[in-house]
Amino acid sequence: MAQVIDGKAISTQIKEELKEKVAKLKAEGKEISLAVIQVGRDPASSVYVNNKKKACEFIGIRSLAYELEETVSEKELVELIQQLNEKEDVHGILVQLPLPKHIEEDKIIKTISPAKDVDGFHPQSVGALCIGQKGFVSCTPAGIIQLLKRSGIEIAGKECVIIGRSNIVGKPMGILMLRENATVTIAHSKTQNLKEVCKRADILIVAVGKPKMITSEYVKEGAVVIDVGIHRNENNKLCGDVDYEEVFPHCSAITPVPGGVGPMTIAMLMNNCVESAQ
C-alpha cells in the first residue's frame, strides 16, 4: 500500500515551527514583514495571494499588500520595488507572477534585492544555489526536499528523474537533489524514450504541465512519485500531471493533488521570510 505524502500536515508542522521562531523574534523586538505585490486581478493569482496572507497571519508575519491596476507601468512597478528594497522594516518582497504582457518579468525579478528575494528567483539566488553558497532557494523545490525528508524517504544514492526543466521548478530541483547526493536526470520535451528514462527512477518528480500525462507506464514498481502539476479537469476538479488512481498501486509513496506539493510552496516562502529577518 503506497504511503500518501500529506503536504498539508507537513506544511502545518513547518508553519508551527516558524510561529515559535517569529514569537521569539517578536520578544526581541523584531517584527517580520513581507510585501506582496499583485498586478491586475487574475483569479488564480488572487487565490495564491490570499493563501500567502493567511499563512502570514497564522505565523505572525506582517503582510503588506500592494494591489496594482493591470495598467500600471513597468517604471512605476520598478520604483515601488526600489522603495521597498530601501525599507529596513520590509524583510521579503514578492511579486505575484504572471505579470501583464507590457511588463518584463525578468527585469522585475532582477529589481528585487537578493537579500529580500524570498521567492528565490533572482539570478544571484540561483547562482548561489548552483555553487552551494548561501541564498534563497525557490519555494517549490525546497518544499519537495522537506516533503521527502519529513516522510522518511532516503534521497542519498537514489536515482532521481525530474520531468520538466523550468527555472522555477525543474532546474533548481535538480541542483537540490544533487546536493542531497541523488543521481539526477532532468527529462524534457525533447527527451527520447521518456518512458524508459522515467522507469529508472527511484524518485520521480513530475513538473510537466500536462494533466494526468504520467501513467503507470512511466513508473518503476515501488518508486516515489512527486506531482508538482495542478490543473482543473473537465469536471472542474483539481488534478495533477500524474494519473493518481492509475499510478497509486505501483508506487511506494505519492503526493496527492491537491494537498501535496502546493501547501509546501507557501510554507517554504514563510520559511524564507523568517530566514531573511534572522
Side-chain angles (χ1 to χ4, degrees):
M1 186 68 176
Q3 171 191 358
V4 178
I5 299 173
D6 188 343
K8 266 190 175 161
I10 295 171
S11 71
T12 302
Q13 196 183 353
I14 291 170
K15 287 190 287 194
E16 290 286 2
E17 291 164 13
L18 292 171
K19 200 175 182 174
E20 280 182 31
K21 284 185 186 172
V22 169
K24 271 189 188 151
L25 286 167
K26 271 193 180 157
E28 292 162 17
K30 190 160 199 179
E31 182 167 32
I32 304 175
S33 297
L34 169 67
V36 181
I37 302 170
Q38 183 182 359
V39 181
R41 296 278 174 275
D42 176 69
S45 289
S46 296
V47 170
Y48 285 126
V49 167
N50 281 333
N51 287 342
K52 286 165 186 172
K53 285 180 190 166
K54 278 184 200 157
C56 282
E57 204 176 319
F58 178 78
I59 290 163
I61 293 173
R62 190 168 65 122
S63 161
L64 309 168
Y66 295 86
E67 287 160 9
L68 310 178
E69 291 302 324
E70 186 100 18
T71 51
V72 71
S73 71
E74 185 178 270
K75 184 172 177 284
E76 287 170 301
L77 182 53
V78 165
E79 282 169 0
L80 171 61
I81 294 167
Q82 285 168 339
Q83 284 165 16
L84 293 168
N85 283 341
E86 298 296 317
K87 285 190 165 183
E88 278 184 20
D89 61 340
V90 171
H91 302 95
I93 301 169
L94 183 147
V95 179
Q96 185 63 42
L97 304 178
L99 290 167
K101 294 272 184 286
H102 66 281
I103 297 175
E104 196 191 326
E105 271 183 17
D106 201 35
K107 183 176 181 180
I108 298 306
I109 288 167
K110 285 178 182 166
T111 304
I112 298 170
S113 158
K116 299 186 180 189
D117 168 40
V118 287
D119 257 333
F121 295 163
H122 192 285
Q124 189 173 312
S125 306
V126 178
L129 173 65
C130 283
I131 57 172
Q133 287 187 358
K134 212 166 160 47
F136 293 114
V137 179
S138 57
C139 303
T140 301
I144 291 168
I145 295 289
Q146 286 298 320
L147 275 182
L148 293 168
K149 287 184 168 179
R150 288 173 186 246
S151 301
I153 293 161
E154 184 69 42
I155 304 173
K158 292 291 192 285
E159 182 122 8
C160 171
V161 174
I162 298 158
I163 317 178
R165 54 176 162 182
S166 73
N167 292 336
I168 290 173
V169 180
K171 288 177 190 167
M173 193 72 247
I175 296 165
L176 286 179
M177 291 302 274
L178 281 174
R179 202 190 259 187
E180 298 295 334
N181 300 315
T183 299
V184 179
T185 301
I186 297 182
H188 44 78
S189 57
K190 299 284 188 286
T191 299
Q192 294 184 346
N193 309 325
L194 182 63
K195 286 179 185 171
E196 285 78 5
V197 172
C198 293
K199 278 255 189 208
R200 299 201 309 251
D202 302 309
I203 301 171
L204 181 63
I205 298 171
V206 187
V208 76
K210 288 186 180 168
K212 295 190 174 185
M213 175 182 149
I214 301 305
T215 60
S216 57
E217 294 176 331
Y218 292 80
V219 179
K220 176 167 98 172
E221 284 295 324
V224 173
V225 179
I226 305 289
D227 189 350
V228 184
I230 188 151
H231 316 274
R232 288 204 177 270
N233 67 10
E234 56 283 356
N235 307 321
N236 208 29
K237 271 231 166 99
L238 289 173
C239 67
D241 291 348
V242 175
D243 189 335
Y244 185 87
E245 277 73 24
E246 200 202 316
V247 168
F248 185 85
H250 301 277
C251 50
S252 60
I254 188 167
T255 57
V257 175
V261 172
M264 294 301 293
T265 302
I266 291 178
M268 298 319 288
L269 171 68
M270 298 296 119
N271 182 62
N272 283 352
C273 281
V274 174
E275 275 190 9
S276 171
Q278 283 177 323

